[in-house]
Amino acid sequence: MRNRRRALGALTVLLMAAPAAHAAPAAHARPDAPRLPLPWTDDLTIDRTGDVTPDGSVTLYGSYRCVREGMEYPRASVLVTLTQGPERHGLGGYDAICDGQRHRWLIDAVDVGRYEPGPASAEATLLRFDAGGSFVPMPRNAAGVERGVRLVAGDG
């Protein structure tokens, strides 16, 4: 019993110290260095390249992790907005699974604008619908990311 208490106490100290260790970036850290997602948090990425067809339809890709809380598997969605020059449109959503595992997402957007090959800017949000004891699940932004993407010509 005594060893179990010591182990629990040591674990508690480590967990309490962990956020403080990550609070300030190291002096040698590069601002463009990739961040490493923590395995127990929600996370979202956008791939560097997407596809665009001659008619302007777009496909973007990325990955997400949505953490399960307790026995509940909350509903979630990945929502994406793409900007290129004067074009700025919400591309739609992707139904996400909150099981703590990393999953790939893909959004095909047809008839949302006239996109063309070249640089663009994408924004994605992981929106969770947590019940939280209420009858109606409330939406909550769980993760968000902005990224410059390159749209590459694909078949139409």
Side-chain angles (χ1 to χ4, degrees):
M1 183 71 163
R2 176 178 266 167
N3 286 338
R4 192 176 291 172
R5 283 188 187 160
R6 283 185 186 162
L8 182 59
L11 179 62
T12 302
V13 169
L14 285 173
L15 289 175
M16 289 173 45
H22 298 287
H28 64 278
R30 296 185 335 234
D32 62 340
R35 64 182 178 86
L36 297 175
L38 300 174
W40 56 84
T41 62
D42 296 323
D43 185 58
L44 182 63
T45 68
I46 302 171
D47 289 2
R48 292 180 190 268
T49 59
D51 299 320
V52 61
T53 62
D55 69 357
S57 299
V58 176
T59 303
L60 291 182
Y61 312 87
S63 66
Y64 73 92
R65 178 179 44 243
C66 185
V67 179
R68 182 176 137 197
E69 295 176 355
M71 297 301 292
E72 184 177 318
Y73 287 92
R75 284 185 28 233
S77 293
V78 175
L79 306 175
V80 178
T81 300
L82 183 65
T83 304
Q84 186 184 54
E87 299 288 338
R88 178 178 172 82
H89 302 280
L91 301 185
Y94 179 90
D95 289 334
I97 300 167
C98 292
D99 62 1
Q101 301 297 310
R102 177 146 312 270
H103 298 277
R104 296 287 296 161
W105 60 262
L106 169 149
I107 294 181
D108 282 318
V110 179
D111 295 329
V112 293
R114 295 291 302 168
Y115 294 101
E116 56 190 40
S121 177
E123 303 168 36
T125 301
L126 178 62
L127 188 65
R128 291 177 61 123
F129 297 92
D130 295 325
S134 67
F135 181 69
V136 177
M138 300 301 293
R140 172 175 66 88
N141 286 351
V145 64
E146 289 184 41
R147 165 171 227 149
V149 296
R150 175 150 302 277
L151 298 179
V152 178
D155 296 332

